[in-house]
Amino acid sequence: MVEKRTPVPVGEAVHRLSTQNVSGKTELIPLEQSFGRILAEDIYASHDVPAFDRSPYDGFAVRAADTQNASQDEPVRFKVVGEIGAGSLFTGEVKPLQAVRIMTGAPIPAGCDAVVMLELTKEISRDEIEIKRAFPQGANISRQGEDTKKGTVLVRRGMTINPGAVALLATFGYRHVKVAVKPLIGILATGSELVDVDEPLTPGKIRNSNAYMLIAQIERAGGKAVYFGKLDDEFEACLKAVKQALTEVDFLVISGGVSVGDYDYVPAILQEIKASVLFNKVGMRPGSVTTAATVGEKLIFGLSGNPSACYVGFELFVRPMIRKALLADKLHLRKVQAVLGTDFPKPNPFMRFVRARLSHQAEKLVAAPSGKDKSGIVSSLGETDCFIVLPSGTRGYEKGMVVDVLLLEDDEGSEWPWNDIVRSYK
Amino acid sequence: MVEKRTPVPVGEAVHRLSTQNVSGKTELIPLEQSFGRILAEDIYASHDVPAFDRSPYDGFAVRAADTQNASQDEPVRFKVVGEIGAGSLFTGEVKPLQAVRIMTGAPIPAGCDAVVMLELTKEISRDEIEIKRAFPQGANISRQGEDTKKGTVLVRRGMTINPGAVALLATFGYRHVKVAVKPLIGILATGSELVDVDEPLTPGKIRNSNAYMLIAQIERAGGKAVYFGKLDDEFEACLKAVKQALTEVDFLVISGGVSVGDYDYVPAILQEIKASVLFNKVGMRPGSVTTAATVGEKLIFGLSGNPSACYVGFELFVRPMIRKALLADKLHLRKVQAVLGTDFPKPNPFMRFVRARLSHQAEKLVAAPSGKDKSGIVSSLGETDCFIVLPSGTRGYEKGMVVDVLLLEDDEGSEWPWNDIVRSYK
């Protein structure tokens, strides 16, 4: 008996998932370990930058008024009354026709309102210099707060911490940073045809590549993978493994066993553990048999055993939920537009996701398939950095058309990519 | 006395560095830890994929000749003589008008040369089915080697391992993967004005943000950072720290102390340890005082203490050498073209690198400054994902011009981005 399943559109399937309650957790980690993590709080400037008026150059701090009559022919002579290295202070008050030697970054001494660069001064003796032109009030002074005012939001919650964000966190004294805890994502590979990576291939068998691929996809998405091993297509053993795994992880991803064949036990297991099935067929290629279900607060994903369908199913459905657990503000793959690099003459009855690679031609993005695009095909996956989205319809697509692509190597994401997919009929 | 330095063009500075001998090392790591690492050997297909003729669907394997007279009105009846789950084998030979129930992925039994999908058959009894149309020889059979032929190079040495590459490695039985060892990059921050991230700010001081920023930049580039702490501007202490650090790391990055001021001790230290200076001034903004030197096989980089100049100097000069140690094939930041999102009316006497952010407008890339672009300014760094490259010249640049940009969040890189920089004068 072939079970009848009704395919739901991709956007509807993602919607059913992304409206599920997923409670992300946060933790404090040392700043030097924060690169690549997702920030769990807005970061404010805790003080002005610069925190004080300072010199952007090596030179002499003076009173601007004293330079007003200086010229090439009639230089003005100043008495050098002190020296300020970066990080030190001049404690006195500078008086008329006095100058203080100042280093880049050092605070402007009281009384001074201009800095004259070293190369525009002439050393007369150990404590005398000459200046040969006038400087206006404020010349060569970096003003307190001119970069950033105290209280400004610098980095938003939900952002992936990059080196620039680390610099900001250090500047404002964040020795520890509040980040999202990486959710634990379990992996179970099912299929009696699977041998593990270190086992010899015997007739009729294939190697278990999905589990290792999923480990990497989970890491790329920001989660932490826990691999529970591979299982033969045996109901009791699979049921037991699923139950056990669910006690240890936040989400469970099962590869294989999701279809309607005699050896596909995932539907029966979901029934047995009283999971609520959100969808079990999606109007897309590859990956139409993708299943998602909830048991309490935990999510279970049933992905196709086929490597390409597994890959696509993960990125469209599992990744956004990992991002949600990570408190990211944009859960979905980043959608941009690109020019189609090749023809797709066949119309698609369902929305199609073509594993593709982006290239740049002048200022335009071009997307072309990264290899053969049969869903069984693994050899193109290594080159894949995006999916071309080809909506269903009665006509094919032509080279040069503008299409939507979903970026796979991107931390920014999209809020909701599933409206207004480019149809691109000429 | 202000030391005279002659600025070298950026491309020449990078050339002097990248022709230095850097010996990368390799190591074997478990496949499940390989994501994001750089592959140190070409990966070949160790067998055909599929490794045998197999069924892409659930259905019945038959002899195509037996279906030739089948039609809606005159279906042909087949005797079901066996069943093959994925991973199992049918050992007999299938005879005329016999069929074998076959699961997706299972090997085609001897004698059969077509598969009829389950939904196109009619079950008559437990061991009889009817087929109502003809199938050609080879219908619905995935042929051995049709995805990948044994011996094909699948992933090239020098590639960053992504989830698709992991799938390929698993498919071909790579339990362990040969990857480049992450080079150890030391960091020393100098400057008496620096207080550490957990110390209170006192008058005239700023927080040491460069060291933490560099840790993240080193990680992003694929290296491993070792932070040796911050030092006051004292010659003896700095010299001792540099000597000690060099015994422990592959490259050493020093932030601050590289200029020609009274407290800039890096030049004297390089002289003392008999380093060969490759350059100590570059025709660029920011970061003109960037220094690079060699001592034996070790590289020393002196980057400006100014956060933005330090950031740019790292990406242009240190990153390619980390990539070289990682055996990457494309050492430099990936160069692409984009439309300028804003005017730059002031001409640049030197090549300028503007910290910028890319956005997408239809199929075009647009690059606009990520914030204020004074070199002292840290607040824009969090948003930065590329540099706009503005070559020196006598005219400014206008919004809408096509310019080169260097991508900062990219693993692919460029072989040599420094020729044919877009000048973009209208």
Side-chain angles (χ1 to χ4, degrees):
Chain A
M1 266 294 289
V2 178
E3 177 201 347
K4 261 288 177 221
R5 295 180 181 181
T6 311
V8 299
V10 177
E12 169 63 19
V14 178
H15 176 76
R16 288 184 193 174
L17 262 170
S18 60
T19 47
Q20 295 302 311
N21 190 31
V22 170
S23 48
K25 291 181 275 291
T26 64
E27 63 184 328
L28 272 181
I29 59 169
L31 177 59
E32 62 271 27
Q33 293 168 18
S34 67
F35 171 67
R37 299 294 297 269
I38 295 188
L39 195 61
E41 59 181 340
D42 288 345
I43 299 296
Y44 293 84
S46 56
H47 56 75
D48 288 337
V49 178
F52 46 87
D53 290 356
R54 71 186 178 197
S55 175
Y57 303 112
D58 287 351
F60 289 91
V62 296
R63 298 155 37 106
D66 295 347
T67 68
Q68 291 322 300
N69 299 320
S71 67
Q72 206 62 29
D73 296 334
E74 295 189 50
V76 175
R77 196 164 284 203
F78 287 79
K79 186 170 165 57
V80 180
V81 296
E83 179 177 314
I84 330 173
S88 61
L89 287 173
F90 182 80
T91 44
E93 164 127 11
V94 176
K95 301 200 173 55
L97 293 174
Q98 293 186 342
V100 173
R101 177 89 194 257
I102 193 167
M103 305 303 150
T104 306
I108 307 296
C112 294
D113 55 6
V115 169
V116 180
M117 282 105 93
L118 199 59
E119 52 270 39
L120 299 181
T121 63
K122 190 179 169 192
E123 200 175 343
I124 300 300
S125 68
R126 265 200 64 234
D127 62 356
E128 274 181 315
I129 56 159
E130 272 183 4
I131 294 175
K132 294 185 175 178
R133 45 165 279 213
F135 288 83
Q137 252 194 352
N140 300 319
I141 292 180
S142 297
R143 289 288 173 199
Q144 177 172 340
E146 83 173 19
D147 180 349
T148 306
K149 289 258 174 269
K150 181 175 174 174
T152 310
V153 176
L154 294 162
V155 194
R156 293 260 173 218
R157 181 179 193 268
M159 181 202 184
T160 303
I161 296 173
N162 62 22
V166 170
L168 290 170
L169 289 161
T171 300
F172 295 108
Y174 287 81
R175 182 70 193 86
H176 291 84
V177 191
K178 195 173 173 185
V179 298
V181 172
K182 294 183 177 209
L184 282 186
I185 317 296
I187 301 168
L188 267 175
T190 74
S192 301
E193 74 278 22
L194 302 177
V195 299
D196 232 326
V197 60
D198 48 2
E199 293 175 311
L201 263 195
T202 52
K205 304 279 185 178
I206 59 169
R207 282 224 182 74
N208 169 20
S209 58
N210 285 359
Y212 294 92
M213 179 177 81
L214 286 167
I215 290 173
Q217 286 182 290
I218 289 166
E219 275 191 42
R220 180 165 71 181
K224 194 166 171 180
V226 188
Y227 176 37
F228 291 101
K230 72 174 176 62
L231 292 165
D232 285 340
D233 294 315
E234 291 166 9
F235 177 75
E236 286 301 334
C238 289
L239 175 65
K240 197 178 149 196
V242 166
K243 280 182 174 172
Q244 176 56 35
L246 280 173
T247 65
E248 300 180 31
V249 297
D250 295 304
F251 309 157
L252 179 61
V253 179
I254 305 168
S255 141
V258 291
S259 194
V260 293
D262 299 351
Y263 297 96
D264 291 310
Y265 291 125
V266 170
I269 288 170
L270 293 179
Q271 198 165 25
E272 180 71 23
I273 63 172
K274 298 189 173 57
S276 306
V277 174
L278 300 173
F279 55 84
N280 59 17
K281 194 169 177 97
V282 186
M284 62 186 270
R285 292 285 182 276
S288 65
V289 294
T290 307
T291 293
T294 59
V295 209
E297 273 226 344
K298 305 207 170 179
L299 293 172
I300 303 175
F301 297 89
L303 303 181
S304 169
N306 172 304
S308 299
C310 181
Y311 187 93
V312 172
F314 178 90
E315 297 295 336
L316 298 191
F317 302 113
V318 188
R319 183 185 180 281
M321 300 313 287
I322 293 178
R323 303 303 280 183
K324 187 165 184 175
L326 283 168
L327 310 168
D329 49 351
K330 295 172 182 173
L331 305 184
H332 307 283
L333 292 172
R334 188 170 176 185
K335 183 176 75 171
V336 303
Q337 292 181 2
V339 173
L340 207 50
T342 188
D343 290 335
F344 287 89
K346 259 180 76 176
N348 308 306
F350 291 104
M351 183 177 274
R352 189 167 160 205
F353 296 90
V354 182
R355 296 175 301 287
R357 190 161 185 84
L358 279 179
S359 60
H360 295 260
Q361 287 177 12
E363 74 273 28
K364 288 187 180 177
L365 279 179
V366 178
S370 48
K372 301 174 188 172
D373 192 51
K374 285 203 184 175
S375 74
I377 280 179
V378 91
S379 60
S380 62
L381 285 176
E383 291 286 304
T384 298
D385 63 11
C386 69
F387 298 143
I388 300 171
V389 185
L390 298 179
S392 61
T394 52
R395 284 193 276 177
Y397 294 84
E398 286 169 29
K399 187 175 168 171
M401 284 176 167
V402 173
V403 289
D404 281 317
V405 300
L406 299 171
L407 305 184
L408 298 170
E409 294 182 352
D410 164 84
D411 283 332
E412 180 164 324
S414 291
E415 266 170 37
W416 185 252
W418 301 111
N419 297 334
D420 310 316
I421 297 281
V422 176
R423 300 202 77 87
S424 275
Y425 289 133
K426 262 186 186 157
Chain B
M1 264 296 285
V2 177
E3 178 202 345
K4 261 288 178 222
R5 296 182 182 180
T6 312
V8 298
V10 177
E12 169 63 20
V14 178
H15 176 76
R16 288 184 193 175
L17 262 171
S18 59
T19 48
Q20 295 303 310
N21 189 30
V22 169
S23 48
K25 291 181 276 291
T26 64
E27 63 183 330
L28 272 181
I29 60 168
L31 177 59
E32 63 269 27
Q33 293 167 18
S34 67
F35 171 67
R37 298 295 295 270
I38 294 188
L39 196 60
E41 59 181 341
D42 288 344
I43 299 297
Y44 293 84
S46 56
H47 57 74
D48 288 336
V49 177
F52 46 86
D53 291 355
R54 71 185 176 198
S55 175
Y57 303 112
D58 288 352
F60 289 91
V62 295
R63 297 152 39 101
D66 295 348
T67 68
Q68 291 321 302
N69 297 318
S71 67
Q72 204 63 30
D73 297 335
E74 295 189 49
V76 175
R77 196 166 284 201
F78 286 78
K79 188 171 162 59
V80 180
V81 296
E83 179 175 314
I84 331 172
S88 61
L89 288 173
F90 181 80
T91 44
E93 163 126 11
V94 176
K95 300 196 175 59
L97 294 175
Q98 293 187 341
V100 173
R101 177 88 195 255
I102 193 167
M103 306 303 148
T104 305
I108 307 295
C112 294
D113 56 4
V115 169
V116 181
M117 283 108 94
L118 199 59
E119 51 270 39
L120 298 180
T121 62
K122 190 179 167 192
E123 201 176 341
I124 301 299
S125 67
R126 266 200 64 232
D127 61 357
E128 275 181 315
I129 56 158
E130 272 183 6
I131 294 175
K132 295 186 175 179
R133 42 165 282 213
F135 288 84
Q137 253 194 350
N140 300 320
I141 292 180
S142 297
R143 290 286 174 202
Q144 178 173 342
E146 82 171 22
D147 179 349
T148 307
K149 289 257 172 271
K150 182 176 175 174
T152 310
V153 176
L154 293 162
V155 194
R156 293 258 173 220
R157 181 178 194 268
M159 181 203 184
T160 303
I161 297 173
N162 62 23
V166 170
L168 290 169
L169 289 161
T171 299
F172 295 108
Y174 287 82
R175 182 69 192 88
H176 291 84
V177 191
K178 196 173 174 186
V179 298
V181 173
K182 294 182 177 209
L184 282 186
I185 317 297
I187 301 167
L188 267 175
T190 74
S192 302
E193 74 278 23
L194 301 178
V195 299
D196 233 324
V197 58
D198 48 1
E199 293 175 310
L201 265 194
T202 52
K205 303 281 187 178
I206 58 169
R207 283 225 180 74
N208 168 19
S209 58
N210 285 359
Y212 294 92
M213 181 177 79
L214 286 166
I215 290 173
Q217 286 182 289
I218 289 166
E219 274 191 45
R220 181 165 70 182
K224 195 166 168 178
V226 189
Y227 176 38
F228 291 101
K230 72 174 178 63
L231 293 163
D232 285 341
D233 295 315
E234 291 168 10
F235 177 77
E236 286 301 336
C238 288
L239 175 64
K240 197 178 148 198
V242 167
K243 281 182 171 170
Q244 175 55 36
L246 279 172
T247 65
E248 300 180 31
V249 297
D250 296 303
F251 309 157
L252 179 61
V253 179
I254 305 169
S255 141
V258 291
S259 193
V260 293
D262 299 351
Y263 297 97
D264 291 309
Y265 292 123
V266 171
I269 288 170
L270 294 179
Q271 197 165 27
E272 180 72 24
I273 62 172
K274 298 188 173 55
S276 307
V277 174
L278 301 173
F279 55 85
N280 59 17
K281 195 170 176 96
V282 186
M284 63 185 269
R285 294 284 183 278
S288 65
V289 294
T290 306
T291 292
T294 60
V295 210
E297 274 226 344
K298 304 207 172 182
L299 294 172
I300 304 176
F301 297 90
L303 303 182
S304 169
N306 173 305
S308 299
C310 180
Y311 186 94
V312 173
F314 177 91
E315 297 295 337
L316 297 192
F317 302 113
V318 187
R319 183 186 179 282
M321 301 313 288
I322 292 178
R323 303 302 280 182
K324 187 165 185 176
L326 283 168
L327 311 167
D329 50 351
K330 296 173 181 172
L331 305 185
H332 307 282
L333 292 172
R334 187 170 178 186
K335 183 175 77 170
V336 302
Q337 293 181 3
V339 174
L340 207 48
T342 188
D343 289 336
F344 287 89
K346 260 179 78 176
N348 308 306
F350 292 104
M351 185 178 272
R352 188 168 161 205
F353 296 90
V354 181
R355 296 175 300 289
R357 190 162 185 81
L358 280 178
S359 60
H360 296 259
Q361 287 177 13
E363 72 274 26
K364 289 187 179 178
L365 278 179
V366 178
S370 48
K372 301 171 188 176
D373 192 50
K374 285 203 186 176
S375 72
I377 280 180
V378 92
S379 60
S380 62
L381 286 176
E383 291 288 306
T384 298
D385 62 12
C386 69
F387 297 144
I388 299 171
V389 185
L390 298 179
S392 61
T394 53
R395 284 192 276 178
Y397 294 85
E398 287 168 30
K399 185 175 169 172
M401 284 176 167
V402 174
V403 290
D404 280 317
V405 300
L406 299 170
L407 305 185
L408 298 170
E409 295 183 352
D410 163 84
D411 283 330
E412 181 164 323
S414 290
E415 265 169 40
W416 184 252
W418 302 111
N419 296 335
D420 309 316
I421 297 281
V422 176
R423 300 204 77 86
S424 275
Y425 289 133
K426 265 187 186 160

